[in-house]
Amino acid sequence: MRRTALCSASLALLPVLLQSGCSASDDHDETPGANDIAAWEDAYEQNEMGKADSSGCSGVVVPDKNGFAKRVALTFDDGPNPETTPQVLDILKQYGVKATFFINGKRVTNDAARAVLARIKNEGHILANHSQGHLNLKTVSSAKMQEEVTKTHEVILGAGVTPRYFRFPFGSANCGAVDFVEGLGYAVTGWHIDSADWCYAASSSGYCSPSTFRYVPDGFRSDMVGYTMSQVKSKNGGILLFHDIHQNTASHIGEIIQKLVDGGFSFVNLDDTATFPLLNGQTPAPTPFIGDPCKSDADCGFSDAGKNGSCHLFTPSGGGETGFCTLACQGFCPDKSGKAPTFCTSLDGGASGSCVSKSDALNGNCSKISGTSAASADRFIGSSTATPSTAQACLPQ
């Protein structure tokens, strides 16, 4: 991706630029090159379509994939830019929001850039590593990759911060690069939502062209705010990616924050272990699922496709009220790793569908679900496209 220049001038001022610490190769807002576009599309496909070769070697996929409960972490890549990053910081200060800034070390070459880093630190934000020169670290030599990581590592240490989070440019990584970064003590940090601000910044009018990023719906081609909000709502929160080097982003971040607030979202930072436990190396507390014991709906705090878990209470033939967690369904039910497979059937004589556990070794063939036994159950189809089926399910005795 091309990035906003720290310095801007005509070629006639080249000697002055060089003396001031600016470079003739500083990037300007322009249409991303073909390799950049391919890298961003690959990142999108990893995140949205599950096409990552291995989530363990991905620079995009975050290990915490849900359970955000309308909590959002704002992250900004590619800075610092002494012109636009302070504008972003002003907005964050106005709203009392903390964020993470993934910096490129090559930009920290003068006092103005170092002052921005100091402000990020002093105002309680997180400084993080985004490599030295924003190269695609999946395509460079191992030696170059290590150099790109360690140079910016040293820059952040020089700012008085021990960095904990690393984001690969474009999210482009391989297993060797991930192993090296994690060996330095970093948590590889992707994102859940790409605002595509880099695409909107590619034109002076704020238009994201299909030739630059095909995955933005046509209705949002001139509406970065609308596109961002649609993505946040679809995931119910998560890690949100911006770039603080773009004026278009700095001009709209306040509107986005306000819309998030109005929509009932709250803000956390990457080190929030309640929202991102796996990213921060913690094992989250087990969450309930279909077939787990319950006494009320409050014991079934999970959801799927906008439907919340609930407790099915009943009195088995032996007496004594008991219950298990279920989920309303039509035709199909979700499965969860480590839990018995599920089946959509009716528990009320055919009026509605409820997800139940199938008889499986994971639930002791129903013996671990109090008050149930394995019995033949017909699929509840409802208005779905599911075909008729039967299964051995754990049903109330």
Side-chain angles (χ1 to χ4, degrees):
M1 183 182 60
R2 299 296 184 262
R3 296 168 294 281
T4 306
L6 292 177
C7 307
S8 175
S10 67
L11 290 177
L13 295 178
L14 179 59
V16 176
L17 287 174
L18 295 176
Q19 290 176 12
S20 64
C22 300
S23 166
S25 64
D26 278 338
D27 295 324
H28 296 262
D29 284 350
E30 58 184 70
T31 302
N35 290 337
D36 296 351
I37 292 172
W40 279 119
E41 290 191 346
D42 179 64
Y44 180 90
E45 290 163 1
Q46 288 185 48
N47 228 337
E48 300 295 328
M49 303 178 186
K51 290 188 176 180
D53 293 335
S54 167
S55 61
C57 298
S58 172
V60 180
V61 178
V62 182
D64 305 285
K65 297 176 181 175
N66 49 46
F68 308 129
K70 303 192 83 170
R71 291 172 292 195
V72 175
L74 302 183
T75 65
F76 297 89
D77 288 8
D78 293 4
N81 181 337
E83 295 179 5
T84 54
T85 305
Q87 296 177 45
V88 171
L89 289 169
D90 288 344
I91 295 295
L92 296 176
K93 186 174 184 179
Q94 174 186 339
Y95 282 93
V97 175
K98 304 304 179 186
T100 300
F101 290 81
F102 289 90
I103 69 163
N104 291 140
K106 77 168 190 175
R107 291 186 172 276
V108 187
T109 59
N110 52 47
D111 289 343
R114 285 186 282 272
V116 175
L117 295 195
R119 182 177 172 187
I120 290 171
K121 172 191 173 184
N122 293 338
E123 294 186 1
H125 304 290
I126 295 174
L127 267 177
N129 191 335
H130 195 42
S131 83
Q132 185 71 6
H134 205 278
L135 303 178
N136 187 330
L137 299 186
K138 189 176 182 178
T139 63
V140 301
S141 68
S142 177
K144 182 63 176 175
M145 176 273 295
Q146 294 181 25
E147 178 186 32
E148 286 286 303
V149 176
T150 55
K151 279 189 173 181
T152 298
H153 183 81
E154 293 298 324
V155 169
I156 299 174
L157 289 176
V161 174
T162 300
R164 297 173 51 196
Y165 303 96
F166 183 89
R167 176 171 285 162
F168 283 90
F170 313 104
S172 184
N174 55 32
C175 291
V178 168
D179 287 346
F180 177 75
V181 168
E182 291 181 341
L184 294 177
Y186 282 105
V188 174
T189 308
W191 57 88
H192 301 104
I193 304 146
D194 178 4
S195 68
D197 62 342
W198 54 273
C199 180
Y200 290 95
S203 73
S204 59
S205 63
Y207 175 77
C208 178
S209 169
S211 63
T212 303
F213 193 48
R214 58 180 166 149
Y215 290 120
V216 170
D218 288 343
F220 292 117
R221 286 288 166 196
S222 297
D223 184 8
M224 185 187 80
V225 174
Y227 176 67
T228 301
M229 291 301 301
S230 72
Q231 298 299 297
V232 175
K233 290 176 181 177
S234 71
K235 296 181 183 295
N236 205 35
I239 299 172
L240 181 50
L241 168 65
F242 291 104
H243 298 79
D244 53 307
I245 55 166
H246 298 309
Q247 183 58 58
N248 188 60
T249 300
S251 298
H252 287 94
I253 192 64
E255 181 182 357
I256 291 171
I257 291 175
Q258 186 61 58
K259 284 185 176 295
L260 288 169
V261 171
D262 293 343
F265 289 87
S266 60
F267 298 91
V268 297
N269 218 337
L270 291 184
D271 56 359
D272 186 272
T273 56
T275 310
F276 311 115
L278 296 176
L279 177 67
N280 289 286
Q282 295 192 6
T283 301
T287 56
F289 193 61
I290 297 161
D292 284 353
C294 60
K295 294 182 178 180
S296 69
D297 289 347
D299 296 328
C300 303
F302 65 95
S303 62
D304 181 79
K307 296 175 291 187
N308 295 322
S310 61
C311 184
H312 178 73
L313 293 171
F314 62 98
T315 302
S317 58
E321 188 179 62
T322 187
F324 58 79
C325 291
T326 184
L327 189 74
C329 63
Q330 295 192 56
F332 305 98
C333 291
D335 286 332
K336 182 179 180 180
S337 177
K339 296 288 187 178
T342 61
F343 188 69
C344 182
T345 191
S346 180
L347 297 174
D348 58 6
S352 63
S354 298
C355 294
V356 299
S357 291
K358 288 184 178 180
S359 176
D360 186 85
L362 288 171
N363 56 33
N365 299 114
C366 302
S367 66
K368 296 181 180 179
I369 303 178
S370 177
T372 72
S373 62
S376 180
D378 294 325
R379 170 178 278 163
F380 180 84
I381 297 175
S383 60
S384 73
T385 59
T387 57
S389 179
T390 60
Q392 286 294 111
C394 301
L395 300 181
Q397 296 175 350

